[in-house]
Each structure stands twice: as C-alpha cells, then as structure tokens.
Amino acid sequence: MRFLARYRHIITAIVTCLLFAFLVFMGVKSKDIKNVNLKSSVYAGNAFGTAIKKTLYAEDKSVLGKVSDDIDKELKDIENQISVRVADSEVTMLNRNYAPGGKYKLSDTLLSYLEEEMQLCEDTKGAFNPCIRPITNLWGIEDGETTIPSDESIQKALSYCDTDNMELCEDGIIFQEANMMIDFGATGKGLACDRVRKVLEASEAEGAVISIGGSICVYGDKGDNKPWHIGIQDPRGEDGDVLGIVDVDGTKTVSTSGDYEKYFEADGVRYHHIIDPDTGYPADSGLISVTVICENGLLSDGLATACFVMGLDEAMEYANNHEVDMIFVTQDKKVYVTDGLKKTFRLTAEGYTLEKYEKK
Amino acid sequence: MKKNKIKKADIVFALMIGMVVIFFWLCHWKAKNGSIVRITENGITTEYSLEKDREIHLKNNKTGGVNKIIIQDGKVYMEEASCKDQICVRHREIWKNREMIVCLPNSVFVEIVGGEEADIDN
C-alpha cells in the first residue's frame, strides 16, 4: 500500500486519462446511436421458389411485422400473375391459350413489363430475349434437369424463340407462330423489387434491404443518411460468401446473374441456366458473374442476364453508353467494375484480382 | 518531513481504476457472449448460445425432413439436410449479427441474434 501512496500522483493521472478516454468513447457511441435511432427486424421466407430475406428499419419496431406481411402479399400477387409455375397465372394462360396470328388480350401491368422487355431486347441486340421460354424449358436446368438435350431438339426449340414473331399492341400480344412462350425467369425477381419498393414507399418503414433470389431491393436508409453496404456473392465460394462489398444508396436494385446459381456438370463442362438466345446453349462468354446496379429493378435483373450473354467487352460498352453501374467477374477470376463503382466497390474475397479495364 | 501514508483519496483512486477495468471487461464479455442462435422450424423457435458447442438434430414431423446443425467454435453451419437442393448445406458458416442460413424445403431458419455486427446489410 505504500507503493500506492507513493505513486498516487501518477495514479491520479492515469485514472483521469482513463476516465477521459471513457467519456470520449461514450460520446462517440451515443453520437452513433443518435444518428441510428431506427429499430430493425429480419424476416425470412420464400416466393417464386427462391429465398426471400427482408431486413426492415423503422422508428417503431411494431410496424415492421405488417410491412413484412404487406411485402409477402405483394410477392404472392406478382407470382400469381407472372409465374409459369402457377397453373392459372396470366402468363401460363397466355402460353397455353393464345391463337397464332390472333391478338391475346393482356392486363396493363403485364403489357408494360413486356414493353420494357422488348426495349431491352432491342438495346442488347437480342442478348436478352423475352420469349426464350421454349429453349429454357427444354433444358429445364432451373427445374433440376441434368441431361443435355439433342442438338436437333435445341434447334427446333430455338425456332420458337424468334422475337420477330412476337408483337405487342395497345392492349395485347400477337404471336405469329405456334409453340411460342414467354416467362419472367430473367426479370421477375427484379420487377418484384420494383413492386416491393412501392410497398415500402407507402409504408412506415424508413429503410430496407430485401433480397429476392439474386436481386436486392435497397430502400431508404438506416436513419444515418448513409449508403448501404451490399455484399456481392462470390461466384466460386460457398453460398453467402462475399466477393466484395459495394456502397449503394436507397433508390437502387442490385441484381447478380452467374453460372453458379443453377447448373449441372457433364464431362467436366458446366451447363448453367443462362442460355444464349443465339446458340440455344448455356452462354459461354468468359464471364462467370455479372452484377448490375440501377434504379429500375426489371432492367437491372434483365441486364445482368443479357450482359452475361454479351461478354465483358460488349457489356462494358453497353454500361458506358447507358451509364449503368456493373461488376464483372471473368473465368480467370479477374474482376472489372465500371467507372461509377471505382470508389464504392471493395474486393474482399481472396483469389480474385481487381483489374483496370482496357478499352478494346 | 511528512510520511507517505495511505489516505482516503488513494483508496478512492484505486476503486476508480477497478471500476473502469471492470466496465471495459464487462463490455468485452457482453460482446463476446451476447450472440444467440435462433432456430425456427415450422414456426417453432428455439434459442441456443453461440458459445457452447453442440449438435442440433431437427425432424419435421409433417414432411419427414431432417436437418443437422452444428454450433462449433462460436460459428454455426448446416452439416446435413434431407432437402433436394442442398443450398443450406452449401452455405458458409455464420456468426455475425443477422446472418442467416435457410433450408426452404424443410422450412428451417437459422439466424444469429446479437454479437459482432456484419460488414454487409444484405
């Protein structure tokens, strides 16, 4: 105790310093808390045969359950309208009941989705095809098929996927040939993000991140006016492994398409679910993953698929011309980002390199 | 010359040091042990500590679906599942706040509540 007495001035100094540090620490903490005064809840579920994760923020936590239910209801409505897995959806009925050469009447919402898809088809020179269903159905990779169809049957199915034989009019659609089909496999999750965003805008939620399969609706903020940190799936990692993190503001949808989502392997070749409308075979463009970030969810989802088919050079040109943010991963594990993401994307996975894109 | 003697103030200082140390230690302890593994199967929720290693076997009485969840070294992963897609088994292990592994076919949700904050919001 004599020790204590002798050095009491030093001890006083140390204690004062510690208290000071403690106060500063608390001050910083409470400042954080003041900015982030929103409460959050996480909900998990499923729709369109894919996993849904909803992280919702609001001042009053008790409203979040209802917001989550409203989103589920909206997703169910969308599924009942556009899913080919629902026996009496508007899309199923169209595919089954249309008469070649005649007009089939469609609802305004479905027609507006198809108009957007046709525009995307034109903009991507056919890399996105709204009536590719006959060929994806033949492969059946999304439904767990693991056999390669004969080339003859592929060529035959391809002949039913010609967009020149599909025409939209004021209140309906005309297919010129029999056996044609549409589906929303490439845009459904993205357009669901658009619809969910409208539900969120009308709700008491202040911020939200809603993952619908490979598309993520980012909405509002956490009460701190800061962008969200969105993790992009590592295309060669385990499910949930992060390739990198991108800062995204609360108006965007982030969609990723890759060869890792649904595929089977035969003789060392990976047959994945993204079919090239030109060849009828899984796209072999050198890319293994494409992420598109933009305000229009349908567009981000559809573009992710189209750009995967186009390959790095063509997709990069598209991104620059249309000012859309994208992240590309090539087969040799090189990562390229568009100029808009250079400051906001951080590569975190090992084994990948972030490359500077040299214009070809 | 005055002799150095223990005064009341010295004891107060000593106690203050002790309190500060205990405060930081408590903060640390809480951060480390605050994590809960919340497992929901068919709407029934059970919670486990993330710190205690264990195996959890679930059997869905309706569908007969089986899941085996492992808590080990402060992390959780799905060891086995009877589902067809095996997405949950391919999911990496989780340990950060709000991270989640879902087995949709068997309706099993594994979620981390509390603890270290995740780097990402999705």
Side-chain angles (χ1 to χ4, degrees):
Chain A
M1 285 311 253
R2 178 154 294 171
F3 171 86
L4 190 68
R6 184 173 295 169
Y7 294 106
R8 68 169 198 265
H9 295 298
I10 295 164
I11 292 167
T12 314
I14 293 170
V15 170
T16 314
C17 285
L18 277 173
L19 278 174
F20 187 70
F22 169 71
L23 285 173
V24 169
F25 174 74
M26 283 307 282
V28 170
K29 259 281 195 269
S30 65
K31 206 171 146 203
D32 276 351
I33 290 161
K34 205 185 252 172
N35 284 338
V36 189
N37 56 0
L38 301 182
K39 311 275 189 300
S40 71
S41 286
V42 186
Y43 302 87
N46 65 311
F48 319 131
T50 187
I52 311 283
K53 184 179 173 188
K54 292 166 279 186
T55 309
L56 302 172
Y57 286 79
E59 270 178 47
D60 177 6
K61 201 170 177 170
S62 64
V63 305
L64 294 178
K66 186 181 176 296
V67 179
S68 173
D69 289 346
D70 287 348
I71 292 171
D72 286 343
K73 196 178 155 288
E74 187 72 4
L75 291 174
K76 197 85 212 156
D77 285 351
I78 302 167
E79 189 174 11
N80 285 336
Q81 183 174 27
I82 67 166
S83 175
V84 288
R85 292 188 189 86
V86 175
D88 61 349
S89 75
E90 196 177 351
V91 169
T92 307
M93 299 298 262
L94 163 68
N95 289 340
R96 198 192 298 148
N97 298 334
Y98 81 89
K103 186 178 80 182
Y104 187 95
K105 229 167 144 349
L106 293 177
S107 67
D108 289 347
T109 46
L110 192 61
L111 202 54
S112 71
Y113 297 149
L114 287 171
E115 276 163 4
E116 280 191 76
E117 287 202 339
M118 283 303 260
Q119 186 62 48
L120 185 58
C121 174
E122 201 183 310
D123 291 347
T124 59
K125 300 187 187 86
F128 177 87
N129 182 331
C131 55
I132 200 172
R133 170 92 187 144
I135 193 84
T136 49
N137 195 33
L138 176 69
W139 281 91
I141 295 170
E142 302 223 32
D143 301 313
E145 277 291 333
T146 54
T147 48
I148 307 163
S150 71
D151 190 62
E152 196 191 350
S153 59
I154 288 173
Q155 298 312 325
K156 196 171 163 213
L158 259 188
S159 70
Y160 305 139
C161 303
D162 188 350
T163 46
D164 287 344
N165 290 331
M166 171 181 159
E167 189 188 320
L168 299 177
C169 48
E170 206 175 299
D171 58 348
I173 187 169
I174 301 164
F175 286 128
Q176 298 296 352
E177 300 284 336
N179 300 314
M180 293 181 75
M181 282 188 260
I182 57 160
D183 68 12
F184 285 87
T187 56
K189 288 155 196 162
L191 77 85
C193 286
D194 291 336
R195 294 269 292 266
V196 165
R197 186 181 301 283
K198 287 199 180 112
V199 174
L200 288 166
E201 279 164 359
S203 78
E204 286 181 71
E206 305 272 334
V209 175
I210 317 286
S211 302
I212 306 171
S215 281
I216 304 161
C217 169
V218 186
Y219 171 76
D221 59 59
K222 279 182 268 189
D224 54 4
N225 253 320
K226 284 181 184 156
W228 300 83
H229 304 305
I230 301 300
I232 306 298
Q233 171 68 39
D234 176 349
R236 290 293 177 265
E238 292 186 297
D239 225 39
D241 274 338
V242 172
L243 168 78
I245 302 169
V246 62
D247 296 339
V248 180
D249 70 63
T251 60
K252 303 276 172 66
T253 291
V254 181
S255 296
T256 302
S257 279
D259 66 356
Y260 56 88
E261 291 167 276
K262 282 175 180 158
Y263 66 92
F264 67 90
E265 273 171 0
D267 297 329
V269 180
R270 180 184 289 230
Y271 294 89
H272 58 80
H273 73 297
I274 305 172
I275 306 291
D276 185 340
D278 244 8
T279 64
Y281 285 84
D284 183 20
S285 64
L287 292 173
I288 59 174
S289 164
V290 177
T291 299
V292 179
I293 305 169
C294 66
E295 290 188 8
N296 182 328
L298 186 151
L299 197 62
S300 82
D301 198 2
L303 265 180
T305 301
C307 289
F308 188 100
V309 171
M310 287 194 272
L312 180 63
D313 294 323
E314 231 182 291
M316 195 59 108
E317 196 187 335
Y318 183 98
N320 289 333
N321 290 342
H322 292 78
E323 294 185 356
V324 183
D325 290 331
M326 298 192 194
I327 301 162
F328 304 98
V329 186
T330 62
Q331 261 158 4
D332 45 3
K333 292 197 156 187
K334 290 181 171 145
V335 181
Y336 298 87
V337 301
T338 50
D339 290 345
L341 296 177
K342 283 204 171 127
K343 285 186 179 143
T344 53
F345 176 76
R346 300 178 296 290
L347 182 68
T348 56
E350 286 184 19
Y352 294 88
T353 52
L354 192 58
E355 302 278 332
K356 190 168 181 281
Y357 181 72
E358 305 287 348
K359 204 173 175 184
K360 292 250 161 72
Chain B
M1 198 180 148
K2 235 162 110 187
K3 234 186 165 186
N4 280 330
K5 264 195 170 174
I6 301 165
K7 289 180 183 161
K8 219 186 213 167
D10 294 324
I11 294 166
V12 172
F13 291 144
L15 282 175
M16 279 168 106
I17 297 173
M19 274 163 67
V20 169
V21 168
I22 287 170
F23 175 81
F24 279 106
W25 182 73
L26 267 177
C27 282
H28 178 72
W29 181 79
K30 210 179 158 194
K32 194 167 171 274
N33 288 300
S35 301
I36 287 167
V37 184
R38 182 180 289 166
I39 299 176
T40 309
E41 189 213 7
N42 261 328
I44 301 159
T45 301
T46 321
E47 293 184 347
Y48 304 88
S49 166
L50 185 61
E51 304 311 316
K52 198 169 172 245
D53 292 359
R54 66 166 89 217
E55 275 185 24
I56 298 150
H57 296 264
L58 296 175
K59 190 162 194 275
N60 188 319
N61 289 332
K62 272 185 225 155
T63 62
V66 184
N67 290 73
K68 182 173 163 191
I69 300 157
I70 307 276
I71 304 179
Q72 199 176 56
D73 303 330
K75 294 176 179 178
V76 193
Y77 62 95
M78 187 76 72
E79 168 85 356
E80 284 168 29
S82 59
C83 59
K84 199 178 155 205
D85 61 20
Q86 296 285 299
I87 287 172
C88 54
V89 179
R90 286 205 308 268
H91 200 286
R92 67 170 173 83
E93 49 189 18
I94 59 170
W95 67 95
K96 288 178 179 170
N97 189 19
R98 296 200 309 246
E99 286 184 330
M100 208 178 247
I101 299 175
V102 178
C103 178
L104 272 186
N106 293 351
S107 180
V108 173
F109 301 90
V110 183
E111 190 188 348
I112 305 290
V113 183
E116 191 184 343
E117 279 302 322
D119 308 325
I120 57 172
D121 294 309
N122 58 316

